[in-house]
Amino acid sequence: MICHIDYEAPDDLLDGKIVLVTGASSGIGRAAAMSYARHGATVILLGRSVSRLEVVYDAIEAMGAPQPAIFPLNLESATSQDYATVATKLEKEFGRLDGLLHNASILGERVTVADADPAIWAQVMQVNFTATLGLTQALLPLLQVSGDASVIFTSSSVGRQGRARWGAYSTSKFATEGLMQILADEHRDSNLRFNSLNPGATRTAMRKAAYPDEDPQVLRTPEEIMPTYLWLMGPESLGTSGRAFDAQPPK
Ligand code: NAP
């Protein structure tokens, strides 16, 4: 396990960087967007609800951080044309992309494979994996312009070890780990880096849905797991690619 929970990022860690965060409206994605902005990045907030993204936008502006941007996109219905539009808009507004945090995901249903609904399985794969792939493909040229961009894929403990009743979600995270490793190998001669990050049990709506009987107070908050998110996005991780990280040590 590689974890940087004690990392203390300098205030100017991401000064001048352009960083896109998917699922930036709530939970871990919101905390990451705020944290990257607080450390100097211009953050592109991507998500399906403009009103929820606007709340994050306003909070970033209120901190006096660089002005963020909102890119609305529903990853459940997104097509290659939508990913290309995101890339074109980014190219026009910023000319490059220095960081990409693939964070948006859905849980799907917690049932056995025998009981899984194929339509829900496909929906989970679309949001958690296929959209991640499409967006990465479309944004690769802009990441290459940056020269030393960092791409972080959000994984899960069930994306590294299969577990009963985690069906589509677990499968989507295994696929994400595989994509990360393939990209890292394909770009091993460049400064582009691709790594995966398992947040671990974190106090969010998704965790509550997965473990309704758990006391949320025993869990770390999204803000508390940000050190590894910052380390991976910042220059100290240059040269590290194809690795699987954990944002917190296991309990
Ligand atoms: P969350 O609170 O449910 O937030 C998920 C985010 O994804 C929200 O911003 C949500 O937007 C967005 N999203 C969902 N469907 C979308 C769609 N169709 N299009 C665009 N955006 C969409 O979950 P979280 O706990 O913060 O999870 C963040 C990441 O960490 C996920 O990849 C998850 O698998 C991973 N993870 C979490 C835990 C944990 O304990 N929390 C553990 C392991 C891994 P809305 O605000 O519009 O819903």
Side-chain angles (χ1 to χ4, degrees):
M1 189 194 71
I2 330 172
C3 180
H4 287 280
I5 193 140
D6 295 326
Y7 174 62
E8 285 180 29
D11 291 348
D12 62 353
L13 181 83
L14 300 174
D15 267 7
K17 298 290 186 190
I18 314 293
V19 175
L20 189 150
V21 177
T22 73
S25 52
S26 55
I28 295 166
R30 179 188 201 277
M34 300 277 295
S35 190
Y36 291 154
R38 190 174 297 114
H39 288 84
T42 296
V43 181
I44 295 131
L45 309 166
L46 188 145
R48 61 183 162 181
S49 160
V50 174
S51 59
R52 280 198 288 275
L53 292 171
E54 277 171 350
V55 176
V56 184
Y57 182 104
D58 290 345
I60 290 174
E61 274 215 316
M63 311 193 285
Q67 187 181 29
I70 290 179
F71 280 26
L73 186 62
N74 186 342
L75 299 174
E76 196 179 321
S77 52
T79 62
S80 48
Q81 185 51 55
D82 294 315
Y83 310 130
T85 303
V86 170
T88 305
K89 262 176 74 181
L90 251 167
E91 214 273 320
K92 267 201 195 118
E93 283 185 42
F94 303 103
R96 64 173 206 285
L97 185 62
D98 303 304
L100 171 57
L101 171 62
H102 287 295
N103 164 81
S105 274
I106 54 174
L107 187 62
E109 45 176 12
R110 294 283 321 280
V111 296
T112 62
V113 171
D115 289 335
D117 177 337
I120 297 177
W121 194 290
Q123 180 190 31
V124 172
M125 289 304 290
Q126 162 64 26
V127 175
N128 298 9
F129 176 70
T130 311
T132 299
L133 168 64
L135 208 48
T136 307
Q137 282 183 308
L139 295 176
L140 265 176
L142 287 172
L143 292 161
Q144 273 157 337
V145 173
S146 162
D148 65 350
S150 174
V151 182
I152 305 171
F153 294 89
T154 307
S155 188
S156 165
S157 52
V158 296
R160 295 171 182 171
Q161 174 68 54
R163 205 181 301 157
R165 304 171 73 92
W166 280 88
Y169 179 85
S170 175
T171 305
S172 72
K173 297 297 186 181
F174 267 96
T176 301
E177 293 277 0
L179 176 64
M180 175 279 286
Q181 290 178 14
I182 292 163
L183 283 162
D185 198 36
E186 286 175 355
H187 294 270
R188 65 179 181 278
D189 295 328
S190 81
N191 274 336
L192 259 177
R193 58 205 191 278
F194 301 87
N195 294 287
S196 72
L197 179 52
N198 167 23
T202 310
R203 200 186 306 167
T204 68
M206 182 185 286
R207 178 75 191 185
K208 187 76 195 159
Y211 296 93
D213 299 331
E214 182 179 64
D215 174 8
Q217 297 309 315
V218 305
L219 302 172
R220 283 198 170 89
T221 64
E223 290 71 24
E224 287 169 334
I225 62 162
M226 284 302 118
T228 312
Y229 282 77
L230 286 163
W231 188 88
L232 275 172
M233 199 53 86
E236 273 138 299
S237 59
L238 254 173
T240 300
S241 194
R243 310 289 294 276
F245 286 79
D246 288 273
Q248 51 181 312
K251 289 217 169 232

